[in-house]
Amino acid sequence: MNTFNITIIGTGYVGAVTGACFAELGHNITFVGRDQKKLDLISSGKSPIYEPGLDDLLAKNQDRISTTTDLVGAVKRTDLTFICVGTPSQDDGSIDLRQVEDVSSVIGSAIRSSPDYHTIVVKSTVLPGTTEDLLLPILEKESGKKAFIDFGLAMNPEFLKEGSAIEDFFHGDRVVIGSNDQETSSILKALYGSLGVPIYTTTMKTAEMIKYASNAFLATKISFANELGNLCKQIEIDSYEVFQGVGMDTRIGPHFFRSGIGFGGSCFPKDVRALIAHARTVGDEPRILNAVIRTNDDQPRKLINLLKKHVRPAGRTIGILGLAFKPDSDDVRESRAISIIMDLLKEGASVVAYDPVAMENFRPLFPGITYAKAAGEVLDCDAVLIVTEWKEFEDLNYENRIVIDGRRIAKARDEAAIYEGVCW
Ligand code: NAD
């Protein structure tokens, strides 16, 4: 197997996982970050984010891992650079590409004076055409070199799921390599080949679209399950039983049918909004995608409305179980807990919240609410809302409680004195 020297730019969810997993495969990794504290954590074998198994991989592969804030130096010392920086939403939903543009410009200037062939791989989620039409010209301008002759360039979208990201890296459904030249494709095939995961090669633009189409489809499946779940609730049918039956159809499949309070996180909402905004730039108004976002935006309100059937929030203390956007992650970006807590505070309630790992990330958003030391404390509130399906919430004692469940915790359903499921 070839051993590569790889620069990873960005030590967030994608960068930290990608770098640690490539180190596990035997490659030498230089993490480039802006936050020295996060780099120090990585250098001491600890993960800067909560992701199961990541601490172990970083600790185990310390001899192949180094960290720096010096991007130019890192690029010059390595063969490959993975861009894993953020591509957040702007206020109008369109994508903010400043981080990828900035690092492309620095990478370009770094390869200008280097005699070695360097391959740049865009892993950040970027809209179709971004790598070819925006980043390639920046790289060529800053380096004074020609792409695919003097340096390699590829778009390699990331499909990891937070909470099972390491498993997804080693046993993913596919690796997509978008490149416009054979040389770059073969380098990436050599890099990923040992995983035994199917590799799909295509153009950069198509690779970019595959990522958006995948996320848009999964988001659509969730909003579809929620729209039908809302109807099921009205007509007293358990939507979980419905989708169990539906998912047995191999044309449809069982995944992403967990109806509830909708999707959050750093990908689905931002990527669907970015795709909508992009479609508009070419005169297209995507009807399905707009509906996906609208359904998702409305979904957390259902939980509050069900609560109000049983308890008037004003002057009451409402407990929140779960703040992360999904279990096994400390990521609170676009978590459903945000709009739910905002609504509760507006209604005049006090809030006591608990999450096994995400409270530190959540606290700056709502410094004024109470953060419980243990999940059990939340159960003492006047009513409890279940917002994230952490496994430990399956072990609580819900007897004599009022529970409004956005995520289907079986024990709460069995035990609570008053129980409402959002779509069942
Ligand atoms: P993140 O915000 O957790 O991490 C991005 C990191 O890049 C941050 O640590 C930031 O400090 C760093 N960074 C930005 N500019 C830098 C610079 N000039 N030098 C060094 N570091 C810099 O984001 P993320 O969740 O890891 O996502 C990264 C990209 O991958 C996004 O485009 C996202 O859409 C995509 N993606 C994310 C996931 C996911 O589950 N989180 C999955 C697939 C794809």
Side-chain angles (χ1 to χ4, degrees):
M1 187 196 84
N2 292 334
T3 300
F4 291 100
N5 297 313
I6 303 173
T7 294
I8 301 280
I9 314 174
T11 54
Y13 292 85
V14 170
V17 169
T18 304
C21 291
F22 279 138
E24 173 73 5
L25 288 179
H27 304 293
N28 300 312
I29 306 300
T30 305
F31 284 103
V32 177
R34 295 186 295 196
D35 180 344
Q36 190 59 49
K37 270 198 226 130
K38 284 188 183 173
L39 295 177
D40 289 344
L41 277 174
I42 291 177
S43 302
S44 62
K46 293 199 184 72
S47 168
I49 51 156
Y50 178 85
E51 180 61 44
L54 190 52
D55 279 332
D56 292 345
L57 277 193
L58 288 168
K60 185 177 159 206
N61 294 295
Q62 275 297 294
D63 55 339
R64 285 193 282 275
I65 290 175
S66 61
T67 62
T68 181
T69 52
D70 172 19
L71 176 53
V72 171
V75 170
K76 285 185 171 171
R77 286 192 302 276
T78 52
D79 320 304
L80 273 155
T81 292
F82 277 78
I83 300 178
C84 306
V85 298
T87 48
S89 285
Q90 310 200 78
D91 288 345
D92 64 354
S94 64
I95 190 168
D96 179 349
L97 291 168
R98 278 174 299 178
Q99 295 179 36
V100 278
E101 287 179 81
D102 289 351
V103 296
S104 298
S105 148
V106 181
I107 297 167
S109 62
I111 57 176
R112 174 177 277 274
S113 54
S114 171
D116 302 323
Y117 190 86
H118 196 89
T119 300
I120 299 119
V121 186
V122 179
K123 215 171 215 329
S124 300
T125 302
V126 291
L127 284 161
T130 305
T131 305
E132 195 164 347
D133 304 334
L134 180 72
L135 306 182
L136 185 153
I138 294 176
L139 287 161
E140 287 189 334
K141 178 168 168 267
E142 295 300 328
S143 67
K145 294 183 173 180
K146 283 299 290 167
F148 313 122
I149 296 170
D150 304 316
F151 65 89
L153 180 62
M155 202 285 144
N156 168 221
E158 178 55 60
F159 299 102
L160 67 79
K161 299 183 289 303
E162 290 178 25
S164 59
I166 291 167
E167 171 73 14
D168 294 341
F169 182 94
F170 289 107
H171 307 285
D173 294 328
R174 78 303 208 191
V175 168
V176 173
I177 298 173
S179 184
N180 297 9
D181 79 319
Q182 284 297 326
E183 171 73 12
T184 309
S185 291
S186 2
I187 290 172
L188 286 187
K189 278 184 191 161
L191 183 66
Y192 282 110
S194 65
L195 290 176
V197 169
I199 294 180
Y200 185 72
T201 44
T202 182
T203 63
M204 297 195 283
K205 208 169 174 176
T206 305
E208 289 161 336
M209 193 58 173
I210 288 172
K211 174 64 190 170
Y212 277 94
S214 301
N215 274 3
F217 182 76
L218 293 173
T220 303
K221 214 170 167 191
I222 296 170
S223 276
F224 175 80
N226 287 337
E227 181 162 300
L228 290 206
N230 294 338
L231 174 61
C232 286
K233 178 77 181 174
Q234 295 284 334
I235 56 179
E236 296 181 6
I237 296 172
D238 181 342
S239 65
Y240 270 62
E241 288 181 15
V242 171
F243 285 114
Q244 208 170 333
V246 174
M248 289 165 82
D249 186 327
T250 50
R251 295 169 303 175
I252 298 174
H255 304 294
F256 282 74
F257 268 153
R258 289 178 58 93
S259 50
I261 45 175
F263 56 81
S266 65
C267 291
F268 288 178
K270 116 175 141 63
D271 292 348
V272 176
R273 284 197 296 256
L275 195 53
I276 293 170
H278 189 58
R280 285 183 184 143
T281 65
V282 294
D284 213 26
E285 189 59 45
R287 278 174 290 190
I288 293 176
L289 298 182
N290 277 315
V292 166
I293 292 291
R294 263 207 316 279
T295 303
N296 195 56
D297 286 348
D298 288 350
Q299 212 57 18
R301 257 267 128 205
K302 311 271 173 207
L303 206 66
I304 305 283
N305 291 343
L306 286 170
L307 169 72
K308 283 157 90 176
K309 252 174 77 181
H310 302 281
V311 175
R312 272 167 53 94
R316 304 290 178 89
T317 304
I318 307 300
I320 301 285
L321 284 176
L323 298 172
F325 88 95
K326 66 179 292 191
D328 291 320
S329 176
D330 62 353
D331 198 343
V332 300
R333 290 176 284 188
E334 305 224 22
S335 165
R336 314 278 61 201
I338 297 170
S339 63
I340 288 169
I341 293 176
M342 224 134 65
D343 279 354
L344 288 172
L345 296 177
K346 245 187 258 159
E347 299 269 356
S350 307
V351 171
V352 177
Y354 174 78
D355 189 284
V357 300
M359 289 198 288
E360 209 180 303
N361 287 343
F362 202 82
R363 204 183 292 268
L365 303 177
F366 291 94
I369 65 171
T370 302
Y371 292 88
K373 288 195 180 59
E377 283 177 34
V378 170
L379 295 178
D380 293 334
C381 295
D382 295 315
V384 176
L385 307 185
I386 301 178
V387 176
T388 316
E389 64 274 35
W390 281 95
K391 207 163 183 332
E392 70 171 79
F393 298 162
E394 284 285 2
D395 298 328
L396 299 175
N397 181 353
Y398 295 95
E399 282 168 26
N400 305 318
R401 310 293 172 195
I402 300 175
V403 178
I404 316 295
D405 189 356
R407 299 298 188 190
R408 185 95 163 186
I409 297 290
K411 194 153 180 282
R413 189 161 163 251
D414 294 344
E415 285 180 0
I418 295 177
Y419 177 88
E420 290 271 8
V422 72
C423 293
W424 53 92

